[in-house]
Amino acid sequence: MPYNALKIFLLSFFIVYFFAGFYVSKTIRGEKYLIFPAFLFTQVPPQIGTEYTVRILEYGGKELDHPILFPDAYKLYFDNSIALPHYNSVIRRIGMNIWQGQSGEIGQYIEALERSFLSKPVVYEIVRVKFDTIEYWRTGKTIEEKSIATFNTEDAGL
Amino acid sequence: MIKHITQNQKNYLTRFEFILQGIARPISKSFPFQNISKIMRENYAFEKARTIVPFFYYFMVIVALYRILDLSNIVNEGQRIFAPRWPIFWADYLHYLTVIDIVHVFFILATLTGAFFYRHRAGRFIVFLGILEYHALRNSFGVTYHNWDIWVWIALLFIFLPDAWGSAHKSPRKRKRFLLVFWGAQAFVLLMYSMSGMWKIIAAAGQYLNGEASAVSFDAFSLHISTQLNILPETMTSMLGPLIINYPLLGWLPLIAIIYLQSFSFFIAFRPSLHSIWALGLILFHVGAYLTIGAEFFQHIPFLLFLFLDSPFRDPRASWRQTIADLPIFGWILGYLPKRNITNAV
Amino acid sequence: MKSNPYIKKFTAYIYDFPSLESFAKEERPFEKAKNIVRYLYYFLALKSTTMLFAGDTYFGTSENFSPVWSTLWVNLLSPADAITIIQFFFLASAFIGSFFYWNRIARIIAFLGVFELHALLSSFGIEVDHAWYPWLFVTFFLIFLPDTRAQTRHSLEGRKFFLLVFLAVQASVFFTYSMSGFGKIYGAINQIIGGGMHAFAPEALALHVAHWLASTHSVSLLGPFIIDHPWFGWPLFVGTIYLQFFALWILFKPSLHKLWAAGLVFSHIGIYVIMGLTYLSSAPLLILLFFDSPFHKPGTSWRKILLDLPIFGSLLRLFMDFRLSKMKK
Amino acid sequence: MSLSHSLPKKLIVLFLVFYFVVGVYAHFYIINQEEVYLLYSWDLYTKVPPRIQTEFTILIHEFEGKRLENPIIFERARGVLYSSLTEYRHSTYNKTNIQNIVRLLAPSIMHDKTKEIERLRMELEKTFLSHPVVYEVVEITFNPIERWKNGRFININSLGIFTSQVF
């Protein structure tokens, strides 16, 4: 390969990659295999934040006396096939899509989540939680919890 | 025919003298520093050694950083037994977890210091302290863990490198000294392998004479492996272990080769042409040992790569013939053959 | 436009990288670059053996296996076999790279080793592996090095070619950081327009930490301290953005290579200490590629290094020019 | 100047000789080389293990109140019945500790040293994850290859059965 051709190739590689990365970062997953925009921690969480979490209502066919939130249910009801930070992003994506009324791409995330239940059937709801970020870390107190969808592992698909 | 016998007789007057020369030649060829010091006078050897040393310190930073991933293991370990070794004598006065933090942070900072100031003896000394403290911590759980020994000793040896970095300080004396310390590090690494090989040979001789299973027995390797695997929990096994237990003959030659490779390692310190081959052999040995008996000594691999793969003492013009002639045992045997052929021809 | 002295001056402030030809004329940069390439493969060799030790714990569980296109062949086998095969291929490829780094075919094999490893790691669960991305780029660009034996002498053209590829390798590492920094600044601008919390606010890091630690249920060494004293976090966070965003610019300021690499390594340590996140895979690249950068001229003065700093250096130059012109008057 | 008389060279040779001599000394005279810090003889996997091996070990008969049909040998029970010291895969730390205790315990049972037995039992039972555990101290004779392949022993010689207590 001649020198100048290599130079043009390398330059265009970086430019194309940059725009591809920028484009991919706008999609739901935020990345694609082989294209990683490295946009990590781009948005500062607001002081009053909203998060999505899972609340388990029925587990293994039994109704729970006190519905249990995902952070407390982790390790008890979930296997470790998904690393913890990934669970959060999975749940966040499900929640955000339902909230925005687009259920296009959530199928695989629901599937991944349901696959990781240790015992089935499970009835759970996706909850939108409002909290003061720092207070939430210190005490775990939330300001508002609102259920936005209920799922049953027995239902096929959505 | 007659002529050639007489010449042979001329060359080797008595049988006794012939044997004596046979023993003395490889030894005299190998042990004095002649070869090495001749190479040391050459400039390229010095330049090469000088480019290798910084990378030792750069790798040290990488190694120190990756220790972070191991932190949780160390924390768990020390909660049962914690008996500080002397280099971390100060640990008695602090909480165990604080000790771990201090040692790790110091290790990383010390190596970073080394990466910036490896040209100064003080910088290299700080790196040595960093690795020594880490090594001491790793060994403070009741059992010694020799995997990190090599890092400590080499860091110690490199403290003694002379200041020959700038282009102004290239007196032949300093150059020689630099190469000598470098050679010392090489020799030390090889010495460890030779010691390991030596015990194996001694034990093999003893066991053979007693009529027990010894290193030359066909099932020797499978005995080693099965004994190791027996003490593992049921779910654990090694990748190639079961294969060799089932077909013991597969393990015979590798074990002999390992003993050969290990025992003659120190000899290789004087045979630069063989450095890269030995590095490859010893790396394969480490990988193989892990895959069969589960012995893990990967901390040695960087040194085998750094110090030997592109050894400064290796003559770039050395031919394959020369390399083979340098091989222990095989080379010696070959060393006699061509000469006779020449006399035959005459 | 080009003759405009102000524009000329301005470009001189931000871009004063000598031509590669001037580097290629010397022996030293080329020899150094060649040496570094070797150690990059040594690192892979070391990594491949230690990974062997970590065994399959390194990988996900087979129930979660969903192959990306480059590991589709695994469907013919079982994931467990694929792990073994790919681990050994990676091991072999890394050592082939270490021993024959001067040969292009060996470098292609080494790249394929990293490529398949990364593909496999990306095939478990739904997340793509991020740790091996920098190495993927680096081994890919290294393929383009001219096919050269270590001992042979090189033509000027050959060296220029070599150094260009090496520069691309260095660029690929800094590029990712710049992307990341760009993302943060872009996000901050969006948030400022939206009128809310943003990355340059003093509490930004504290909020990040609180949010991250709460959602991952993890602890970190200094995280709680940052949450309680948000002001300590401000210089760290803004400093990290500065380091990241200008990384690609620093590529053309060789005098700062080592400092920048060390700064980014420190930022990784900081991320671990504060957020509890271990992302170390590009640290070896920073150290090996930039700590003894071939483009760095030895004996560069502190003054020059200071003047090369992004923003501050340019301001300083502007200020010095201003003083000079005043004195002339 | 001549290199052969330089001080650093002498020091380096001295260092190598020193390391070697200490290693040889440690091999012959220091039984527990764990005591020697930073120096080592590197006598790893020196002897080929004999074809017929005899070992002291323990068999677990009862655990968590459940009687096991086939008693488990302790090496195979690590992590299940015993706490493991480290999370390392393939680590041998735990093995050496417990095995050393058993190696001392068995002879003291044979020689009826009550105090010694008490002390060693306490050490051993501390490592159990739950109590009570009914275990048997045994002397086993086996061929290592056969044992690994089929789990077969040539002979199992019982030395005593104990029930663990919380100390």
Side-chain angles (χ1 to χ4, degrees), chain B residues 33 37 40 70 73-74 76-77 80-81 85-87 132 135-139 141-146 149 152-153 156-157 173 176-177 180-181 183-184 187-188 191-192 195-200 202-204 207 212-215 217-224 226-234 236-238 241-242 245-246 248 255 266 290 293-295 297 300, chain D residues 1-4 6-13 15-28 32-53 55 72-80 83-97 99 103 126-127 129 142-149 151 153:
Chain B
F33 284 85
S37 38
M40 278 184 187
D70 214 25
N73 286 332
I74 288 203
N76 290 337
E77 219 168 297
R80 301 194 163 265
I81 310 164
R85 298 276 178 182
W86 61 262
L132 181 71
H135 180 271
L137 178 73
R138 258 334 267 277
N139 279 283
F141 307 120
V143 185
T144 37
Y145 186 67
H146 288 290
D149 280 19
V152 178
W153 287 111
L156 176 69
L157 279 171
R173 191 192 154 90
K176 270 183 197 164
R177 226 180 231 210
L180 200 62
V181 174
W183 179 85
F188 174 71
L191 176 71
M192 294 196 292
M195 284 166 81
S196 190
M198 181 185 82
W199 299 121
K200 286 193 181 74
I202 292 173
Q207 286 186 311
E212 298 164 19
S214 71
S217 325
F218 286 118
D219 55 352
F221 208 7
S222 50
L223 282 168
H224 266 307
S226 57
T227 306
Q228 285 302 310
L229 294 187
N230 275 333
I231 55 175
L232 285 179
E234 199 135 18
M236 286 188 193
T237 179
S238 64
I245 296 176
N246 287 326
L255 189 65
F266 192 66
Y290 174 71
I293 55 176
F297 256 97
H300 283 219
Chain D
M1 60 141 246
S2 140
L3 184 75
S4 55
S6 71
L7 184 67
K9 184 169 156 184
K10 276 183 192 161
L11 283 177
I12 282 168
V13 172
F15 164 71
L16 294 173
V17 171
F18 166 77
Y19 192 91
F20 179 75
V21 169
V22 174
V24 172
Y25 178 81
H27 175 83
F28 287 114
N32 188 4
Q33 282 191 43
E34 285 157 17
E35 302 296 314
V36 197
Y37 176 63
L38 268 178
L39 295 161
Y40 189 39
S41 67
W42 297 98
D43 48 353
L44 288 157
Y45 305 96
T46 303
K47 276 192 171 164
V48 174
R51 293 194 183 103
I52 303 297
Q53 300 180 5
E55 220 172 66
I72 312 178
I73 207 155
F74 105 88
E75 287 95 342
R76 299 251 148 169
R78 206 186 330 152
V80 186
S83 55
S84 53
L85 264 184
T86 57
E87 297 292 315
Y88 290 111
R89 296 176 83 241
H90 305 272
S91 101
T92 47
Y93 291 133
N94 203 23
K95 171 204 86 193
T96 46
N97 283 329
Q99 212 162 43
R103 272 185 198 144
K126 262 199 298 203
T127 64
L129 281 175
F142 60 92
N143 175 313
I145 297 175
E146 275 298 301
R147 178 182 162 186
W148 185 83
K149 273 188 185 163
F153 297 99

Side-chain angles (χ1 to χ4, degrees), chain C:
Chain C
M1 271 301 264
K2 255 204 163 160
S3 55
N4 187 326
Y6 289 104
I7 287 178
K8 242 184 177 173
K9 217 169 203 173
F10 181 68
T11 45
Y13 284 148
I14 54 172
Y15 185 82
D16 56 355
F17 191 63
S19 71
L20 277 179
E21 195 155 337
S22 69
F23 287 113
K25 271 179 189 153
E26 290 175 62
E27 186 89 12
R28 215 180 45 90
F30 171 67
E31 287 298 329
K32 262 192 180 169
K34 214 167 63 174
N35 210 23
I36 290 169
V37 169
R38 181 209 316 274
Y39 285 93
L40 291 174
Y41 290 112
Y42 285 3
F43 176 82
L44 286 178
L46 177 64
K47 188 75 191 153
S48 65
T49 49
T50 48
M51 207 171 200
L52 205 64
F53 180 55
D56 45 3
T57 54
Y58 203 87
F59 300 91
T61 49
S62 46
E63 297 96 66
N64 266 331
F65 188 74
S66 57
V68 293
W69 60 264
S70 44
T71 47
L72 278 176
W73 56 271
V74 174
N75 282 332
L76 303 173
L77 310 157
S78 72
D81 288 340
I83 289 175
T84 311
I85 290 171
I86 288 180
Q87 264 193 317
F88 276 91
F89 180 61
F90 177 49
L91 182 86
S93 73
F95 277 102
I96 288 171
S98 300
F99 276 77
F100 307 106
Y101 63 94
W102 38 263
N103 183 300
R104 181 166 293 157
I105 292 165
R107 292 196 302 269
I108 290 174
I109 293 171
F111 163 72
L112 286 177
V114 176
F115 181 70
E116 281 299 307
L117 177 79
H118 171 258
L120 184 70
L121 286 169
S122 302
S123 296
F124 291 100
I126 43 164
E127 296 277 326
V128 175
D129 173 69
H130 298 158
W132 282 94
Y133 265 122
W135 282 97
L136 202 61
F137 287 134
V138 165
T139 46
F140 173 68
F141 285 127
L142 285 174
I143 294 176
F144 293 95
L145 287 178
D147 236 6
T148 46
R149 280 207 75 118
Q151 281 94 31
T152 49
R153 295 214 153 254
H154 298 267
S155 65
L156 183 69
E157 203 55 28
R159 286 188 199 170
K160 220 171 104 179
F161 204 95
F162 196 101
L163 287 175
L164 178 67
V165 176
F166 191 83
L167 193 70
V169 169
Q170 287 188 320
S172 71
V173 176
F174 273 168
F175 177 75
T176 343
Y177 283 104
S178 278
M179 280 282 266
S180 189
F182 170 80
K184 285 189 186 68
I185 290 175
Y186 180 76
I189 290 169
N190 272 346
Q191 282 187 313
I192 290 170
I193 292 168
M197 187 50 60
H198 55 89
F200 300 111
E203 308 95 311
L205 188 62
L207 282 168
H208 264 311
V209 176
H211 186 78
W212 177 256
L213 292 184
S215 64
T216 56
H217 318 287
S218 54
V219 282
S220 67
L221 285 174
L222 292 183
F225 176 80
I226 296 287
I227 295 172
D228 289 337
H229 310 274
W231 272 97
F232 279 95
W234 186 75
L236 293 176
F237 196 52
V238 173
T240 305
I241 296 174
Y242 177 70
L243 280 173
Q244 289 190 340
F245 182 71
F246 286 106
L248 200 54
W249 191 20
I250 295 304
L251 181 69
F252 301 104
K253 307 277 183 195
S255 65
L256 281 165
H257 276 181
K258 194 172 186 174
L259 266 181
W260 226 255
L264 288 169
V265 167
F266 262 113
S267 79
H268 284 302
I269 299 171
I271 288 166
Y272 168 70
V273 174
I274 293 168
M275 310 280 269
L277 257 173
T278 45
Y279 182 79
L280 294 174
S281 57
S282 52
L285 285 170
L286 289 171
I287 292 165
L288 293 175
L289 286 172
F290 296 104
F291 269 37
D292 197 11
S293 176
F295 301 109
H296 172 65
K297 283 200 169 58
T300 312
S301 68
W302 274 100
R303 226 184 138 82
K304 164 93 173 107
I305 292 173
L306 217 62
L307 287 175
D308 275 347
L309 277 178
I311 308 179
F312 304 112
S314 306
L315 286 177
L316 210 65
R317 281 184 199 207
L318 212 68
F319 175 69
M320 276 166 55
D321 280 1
F322 178 68
R323 286 256 313 251
L324 210 72
S325 59
K326 226 178 172 184
M327 267 159 66
K328 265 182 196 162
K329 269 179 197 170

